[in-house]
Amino acid sequence: MKKTIKLISALVVVLIVSAFTLAKSNNDTGYKIGNVAEDFSLKNIDGNMVSLADYEDAKGFIVIFTCNTCPYAVMYEDRINALNNKYASKGYPVIAIMPNNTSVQPGDSFEAMKQRAKEKGFTFPYLIDAQQTVYPKFGATKTPHVFILQKGDGLNIVEYIGAIDDNYKDASAVKTKYVEDAVDALLNGEEILHTETKAIGCSIKA
């Protein structure tokens, strides 16, 4: 009886330690500033597969993990469109990726994505991470969550991670436009002032 109790106690300790280790490991995953981002091939709302390699003339990318159903993401839709309209022609197109499990979030289904893009007039590709293999590599945890990449020697280097700006509630009240400031710095050959900020949004549904 005593041996059984000791064994159970030992197992509990192991499980607790493992849980903390796993949690720490999960928090440490994903790209950091300066890392090379792997390319991917994901289905766009037009049915075509899209990869970063398709954009031969791009200087970099504004990769944004977003979705239809998160209120935060919805509040940023017009601003995401504006980012693409401003920077795609300068070599930094927006690549939007929907990372949620559609079984958990039916409102983020592929058909719903197509409908939302049509309603909002998205000017950028809106890709679905159907197998949920891309967002964990980036370390995305929220919608929206931004990763700015810069191309160099055939590689895509992570230069910024975080939020679009400092006010999700009101675009007119924004004081610091993190993404615009970062892309402008890259275009001008300057250092990015804020390379990492806290992404504010809904948790990605696995």
Side-chain angles (χ1 to χ4, degrees), residues 125-162:
Y126 191 19
L127 317 178
I128 184 167
D129 187 7
Q131 303 303 314
Q132 295 193 297
T133 56
V134 174
Y135 87 79
K137 290 182 180 179
F138 274 79
T141 59
K142 304 288 185 181
T143 51
H145 204 155
V146 183
F147 295 77
I148 296 177
L149 313 179
Q150 183 177 34
K151 290 173 69 173
D153 297 325
L155 304 175
N156 295 302
I157 311 299
V158 179
E159 299 286 355
Y160 171 81
I161 302 172

Side-chain angles (χ1 to χ4, degrees), residues 117-128:
K118 183 178 179 181
E119 291 172 354
K120 296 297 296 184
F122 287 173
T123 58
F124 47 83
Y126 191 19
L127 317 178
I128 184 167

Side-chain angles (χ1 to χ4, degrees), residues 6-127:
K6 286 182 179 179
L7 180 60
I8 292 173
S9 298
L11 286 172
V12 169
V13 171
V14 169
L15 287 172
I16 291 173
V17 171
S18 298
F20 278 107
T21 303
L22 182 60
K24 186 176 186 299
S25 175
N26 286 338
N27 288 334
D28 288 342
T29 60
Y31 297 138
K32 303 295 185 293
I33 300 301
N35 285 173
V36 175
E38 292 181 22
D39 202 350
F40 48 77
S41 182
L42 296 175
K43 188 177 181 181
N44 189 18
I45 50 172
D46 63 5
N48 295 319
M49 301 301 289
V50 172
S51 298
L52 299 179
D54 297 334
Y55 295 78
E56 295 180 1
D57 297 329
K59 298 175 182 177
F61 304 93
I62 304 172
V63 178
I64 305 178
F65 292 88
T66 187
C67 67
N68 300 343
T69 57
C70 173
Y72 297 89
V74 170
M75 283 186 279
Y76 271 113
E77 286 174 331
D78 291 338
R79 279 175 269 183
I80 293 173
N81 236 359
L83 284 172
N84 190 62
N85 292 338
K86 181 175 182 178
Y87 291 110
S89 62
K90 297 180 181 180
Y92 285 85
V94 166
I95 308 293
I97 301 175
M98 201 298 294
N100 286 335
N101 180 342
T102 56
S103 296
V104 178
Q105 291 289 104
D108 288 325
S109 70
F110 189 66
E111 290 302 317
M113 288 171 61
K114 290 196 290 185
Q115 182 62 34
R116 189 63 181 171
K118 183 178 179 181
E119 291 172 354
K120 296 297 296 184
F122 287 173
T123 58
F124 47 83
Y126 191 19
L127 317 178

